[in-house]
Amino acid sequence: MRHLVCLLMIALLALIPLSALAATRIVATPGAFALAPMTDWDKIKNDNRYYSQIALTDKPANLEAAFRDAEKPNAIFGVLQLGSPRQAIHLAMGRAESNCVDFLYLDVNNDKRLTAEERVEIKKNSPFNQGNTEYQWSESVKSVACNVSYMRSNGTLLTRPVTVQFYFLRKKPLNTKTPASDKFYYYYVVNTWFYGKGRFDDGKADRDLSFAILDGNDNGLFNDFGQDYMLIDANEDSFFDMQKEIHPLVELDEERIDSRTTIQRRKLIFAWPVTMVVQPVVDAVDFVSVEPR
Amino acid sequence: MSRLVPLIFLLLLLSALVGVSASILPVAGTYLLAERTDMQAIRFSARASYFTIKELSRTKPAALKLDVPMIDETYYYEFRLGDAEKPRSLVIGRSDAKWANVLYFDADADNVITRDERVGVAYKYFVTDDGKLDMYISEPIEPLRVKRTYLRADKSSFDKALTLSVEIVVGYQEGAKSAEPMFLAYVAPSTWFYGEVSAGGNRVLKVAILDANKNGLFNEAEKDCLLIDENCDSVFDWDKERQLLGDDLSGLGPDGKRAKLIPAVAAWPQKLSLATKDATPDPSQLEGK
C-alpha cells in the first residue's frame, strides 16, 4: 500500500511540470510591430486552409454585366462579403465551353458593373476519379485584387486591395446520367496576408521572430480574434508552417512570470493592419493609434 | 514517517482538485457593455442549441396579406419577440433554384407584405451527407433588423433595433416519400452584448450576454445567458463557458477566498453588475440613458 501511495505521489508530482509546460505558449511581448501586406504564398508551408463557399444570389437589379455571347445564358451570380462594414462585391461565373466553371467576372473596383476588363482568367485542370465520382475542377490562374473598404473610428473609409483566389469543383456521379445529380461547388480564399517581425516570449527567453497574420474566415478583415490566425516562425527557417507554427489570433495573451504571477497583454490590430501594438491589458486602449492614416 | 506519506498525498490531491475545480471569479463591480452582432465570436457545437429551428409551413397566417408578385413555392414563418410584441412574418420562396432565393420580411409588423419588404438572399453553403441528405442553406445578404420597445424601471420606454440571424435550409432527402423538399428556418437574435470584467491582478476576462430565449430581452434570470471566456481564446464557447443569468458566479476571488457574485443587467444592457447578494444594485442603475 505504501509503495502504491509513493508511486501515486511521484505521478502527481510529475504532472506539475507537465501542466506548467502545457500552459506555456509563445506570446508577443509589449511593443509596436510594423506589418506589411503580402500575396506571395511561397513563404507559407503546408497550406491547409479551409476554402469558403461563394454566396450565390439572383442577378441584382442594379448590376450591369457585359458578358461574351456564349456566357450570357450560363451566368450565375454571387457575392464576396468583405470589409467593414461588410461590402457585397459582385461576381458572375458559369460554364460556356466546358464542364466545369470556365468564366468569371469579378467587380474588382466595386462599382456594380462587371466589365470585359474584369474577366478573370480560369484554368481548367485534369479531372480525376474517386470511387463512383468524377471530379472536374478549375481555378483562377492567379489571385485577383479587389477594392475593399474599412471604416476607421472617425467614420472615414480606408480602401485597400484584397487578393482572392477562386476554385471550382463539379462532382459528377459516374453511375447516373442525370445531370441534376451533379454537384457544383464554388470556392474562394483570401490570399492577402500580413508579415511582421516581433518580440516573443517562448517561456524560456525573449526572441525576435517573424510572424504572419492570416484571414482565417475569408471576410477580408485581419483582426477577427479567435477566427484569424497568427503564424510564428519559431524555428527561424524563414517559412511559416501551417501545421506546426499556427496559433489562433487571440486578443489577450498571458505570460507567466513565475508560479504566482501572470501578466496579461492585449493586441491592438486594425482590420487592415499596418501595425500590431502589444500592451499591458490595464493600459488605456487607443484604437486610433493602430489605424492607417 | 509512514503515516505522513498518505497525509501529504491527500493534501496534494486536495490542492490539485481545488485548483482544477475553482473557476476564476471576476472582481465585483459594474462594467460597461457594448452591442455586437458578429455571431462568429460565439462557438456552438450545434447551432440548434441557440437557434430556433422550425419546419416552415405552406399555410399562410390568416391575418397576413401579400401585396407582392406570386412566388412559385411559398413558405411562411411567424414569430414574436416577446409576448407583448406583434407577430412578424417571414415569407420565404423558391423560384427556379434549389435553394430559397426569395425572402420578404414584415419588418413593420403590420401584417402586410409589400414589395419594399423584399430582402436580398444569398445561397451560402451546400452540405451533403453523401447524397442521402443534401442541404442548401441561404441567408439574407444584410442582417434583418427588428425594432423593439423596451421599458425602463421608471416605466418610460425607448426603441432599439435588434439584428436577427435567419438561415433557411432546403433539404432534399434521398428516397423521401414526398417530392417536395424540406424547408427549415434557423432564427435567433444576432445582437449580443460584450464587455470586459476585471479578474484581479491586472487581468481581465471577456464576457458576453446573450438573449437565450430569443424574445429581445437580455436580463431574464434562468433564461438568458452570461458567457465568460475563461480560457482567453477570444471565442465564447456556448457549451463550456455559459451560465444562466440569475445563477451565482462562484469561485476563488483575486484574494484567494471562495466567494459568490450575482450577475445582473438591464433588458437592453448597457452595464453588467457583478455584486454580492447584499450589494445587488437597483436595476435602474444598469440602464442606458
Side-chain angles (χ1 to χ4, degrees):
Chain A
M1 176 65 188
R2 200 166 61 186
H3 290 296
L4 184 66
V5 168
C6 288
L7 273 174
L8 279 168
M9 272 185 66
I10 291 163
L12 194 67
L13 289 170
L15 279 174
I16 293 169
L18 272 179
S19 60
L21 190 69
T24 306
R25 56 185 179 187
I26 192 162
V27 292
T29 62
F33 309 110
L35 292 165
M38 309 286 281
T39 53
D40 174 7
W41 278 75
D42 291 348
K43 272 184 164 292
I44 295 176
K45 285 200 298 193
N46 296 319
D47 178 4
N48 56 4
R49 283 173 297 167
Y50 170 83
Y51 298 163
S52 296
Q53 289 190 33
I54 297 170
L56 304 186
T57 62
D58 290 343
K59 182 182 181 296
N62 61 347
L63 185 74
E64 290 177 42
F67 298 125
R68 295 177 184 178
D69 286 345
E71 295 164 348
K72 281 178 191 167
N74 304 309
I76 53 174
F77 295 85
V79 285
L80 304 180
Q81 292 165 303
L82 305 175
S84 170
R86 201 165 60 167
Q87 296 129 63
I89 296 170
H90 294 274
L91 59 86
M93 59 199 165
R95 292 170 289 139
E97 292 161 5
S98 67
N99 291 326
C100 202
V101 167
D102 57 14
F103 72 88
L104 166 70
Y105 293 82
L106 177 68
D107 185 15
V108 294
N109 57 5
N110 205 359
D111 66 351
K112 308 286 182 276
R113 292 172 67 229
L114 296 173
T115 61
E117 291 74 37
E118 292 177 320
R119 196 174 191 277
V120 177
E121 196 181 348
I122 299 295
K123 177 175 75 176
K124 190 183 163 195
N125 297 302
S126 302
F128 61 93
N129 293 357
Q130 204 170 50
N132 284 327
T133 307
E134 182 185 70
Y135 292 82
Q136 300 168 350
W137 64 294
S138 56
E139 61 186 308
S140 52
V141 171
K142 52 188 177 185
S143 34
V144 190
C146 48
N147 285 342
V148 177
S149 295
Y150 303 88
M151 189 172 281
R152 300 185 184 93
S153 309
N154 63 5
T156 58
L157 289 176
L158 170 83
T159 301
R160 289 288 182 269
V162 169
T163 58
V164 182
Q165 181 91 21
F166 294 90
Y167 297 89
F168 307 105
L169 182 68
R170 178 183 192 170
K171 280 172 76 175
K172 189 178 171 63
L174 294 170
N175 53 6
T176 174
K177 289 182 178 174
T178 317
S181 56
D182 292 3
K183 298 284 186 308
F184 292 89
Y185 297 84
Y186 312 97
Y187 294 112
Y188 76 100
V189 65
V190 168
N191 257 359
T192 295
W193 57 281
F194 286 83
Y195 173 85
K197 277 195 165 182
R199 178 157 289 191
F200 293 85
D201 178 354
D202 66 0
K204 294 173 192 161
D206 285 359
R207 295 162 65 197
D208 291 323
L209 299 172
S210 300
F211 67 95
I213 294 176
L214 272 60
D215 181 8
N217 50 0
D218 293 322
N219 63 357
L221 310 176
F222 296 85
N223 64 349
D224 284 326
F225 295 114
Q227 314 291 321
D228 293 337
Y229 298 116
M230 190 170 200
L231 296 163
I232 303 168
D233 181 19
N235 62 3
E236 299 183 66
D237 67 349
S238 301
F239 290 97
F240 298 108
D241 190 322
M242 284 199 76
Q243 286 178 354
K244 295 174 186 163
E245 296 177 327
I246 195 162
H247 309 260
L249 181 70
V250 293
E251 183 175 5
L252 304 177
D253 264 331
E254 294 197 331
E255 185 183 356
R256 185 169 289 181
I257 303 299
D258 54 47
S259 61
R260 290 188 172 190
T261 317
T262 301
I263 291 179
Q264 201 177 36
R265 300 213 173 92
R266 185 193 303 277
K267 292 192 194 85
L268 302 181
I269 309 173
F270 186 63
W272 173 274
V274 290
T275 183
M276 178 177 82
V277 168
V278 181
Q279 63 178 44
V281 76
V282 290
D283 284 7
V285 173
D286 179 13
F287 285 116
V288 177
S289 68
V290 295
E291 289 177 358
R293 289 163 202 265
Chain B
M1 179 62 192
S2 62
R3 290 187 179 187
L4 273 178
V5 172
L7 193 66
I8 294 166
F9 169 68
L10 198 65
L11 283 171
L12 273 169
L13 193 66
L14 275 173
S15 68
L17 283 174
V18 166
V20 168
S21 65
S23 39
I24 311 160
L25 188 70
V27 177
T30 303
Y31 301 95
L32 289 175
L33 296 172
E35 184 187 343
R36 280 175 60 168
T37 57
D38 52 334
M39 291 296 284
Q40 287 187 353
I42 298 152
R43 184 191 296 128
F44 303 97
S45 63
R47 291 177 78 73
S49 57
Y50 177 66
F51 287 79
T52 298
I53 304 172
K54 193 171 165 184
E55 187 158 0
L56 301 180
S57 166
R58 295 206 68 167
T59 308
K60 184 171 76 67
L64 188 69
K65 288 179 186 159
L66 298 184
D67 189 13
V68 291
M70 287 295 289
I71 312 163
D72 292 354
E73 198 176 340
T74 313
Y75 292 80
Y76 301 89
Y77 180 89
E78 195 180 47
F79 65 94
R80 282 172 195 265
L81 283 170
D83 295 340
E85 294 286 306
K86 290 179 187 170
R88 298 165 200 263
S89 288
L90 290 165
V91 178
I92 295 159
R94 192 169 67 104
S95 179
D96 197 24
K98 284 203 148 187
W99 49 89
N101 56 353
V102 180
L103 176 64
Y104 290 92
F105 174 47
D106 183 20
D108 54 11
D110 66 351
N111 260 331
V112 181
I113 299 286
T114 56
R115 284 168 189 258
D116 60 0
E117 289 177 326
R118 181 154 183 184
V119 178
V121 181
Y123 156 57
K124 295 205 76 170
Y125 308 104
F126 171 69
V127 182
T128 185
D129 178 17
D130 287 336
K132 290 173 192 151
L133 176 65
D134 289 346
M135 291 186 290
Y136 294 82
I137 301 160
S138 46
E139 65 178 35
I141 294 174
E142 295 295 331
L144 302 183
R145 290 186 181 277
V146 184
K147 198 176 81 175
R148 195 192 190 289
T149 302
Y150 293 86
L151 284 176
R152 295 192 183 91
D154 65 3
K155 306 294 180 200
S156 62
S157 66
F158 62 100
D159 289 340
K160 284 286 178 186
L162 273 171
T163 58
L164 209 61
S165 171
V166 175
E167 280 186 2
I168 306 149
V169 180
V170 182
Y172 299 84
Q173 197 153 14
E174 189 184 70
K177 285 179 188 170
S178 165
E180 285 193 1
M182 175 177 65
F183 261 74
L184 299 171
Y186 285 56
V187 180
S190 52
T191 294
W192 57 283
F193 289 85
Y194 168 82
E196 284 182 3
V197 300
S198 170
N202 291 342
R203 294 176 67 231
V204 299
L205 288 167
K206 290 166 174 268
V207 294
I209 304 283
L210 265 75
D211 175 21
N213 62 341
K214 296 172 276 283
N215 64 356
L217 307 173
F218 290 81
N219 64 339
E220 293 171 297
E222 305 303 324
K223 290 172 185 169
D224 295 328
C225 290
L226 166 71
L227 283 77
I228 302 177
D229 180 20
E230 287 202 36
N231 61 2
C232 288
D233 66 350
S234 298
V235 179
F236 295 102
D237 192 310
W238 177 259
D239 302 292
K240 295 175 187 160
E241 296 178 330
R242 169 175 52 116
Q243 72 162 66
L244 291 169
L245 280 181
D247 285 356
D248 296 340
L249 284 176
S250 61
L252 293 180
D255 55 1
K257 290 180 183 166
R258 190 164 276 276
K260 281 184 180 179
L261 294 174
I262 301 168
V265 293
W268 180 267
Q270 300 289 294
K271 294 170 188 169
L272 165 68
S273 159
L274 297 174
T276 52
K277 199 172 182 180
D278 52 354
T280 308
D282 187 288
S284 64
Q285 292 173 22
L286 303 175
E287 291 171 348
K289 288 178 183 172

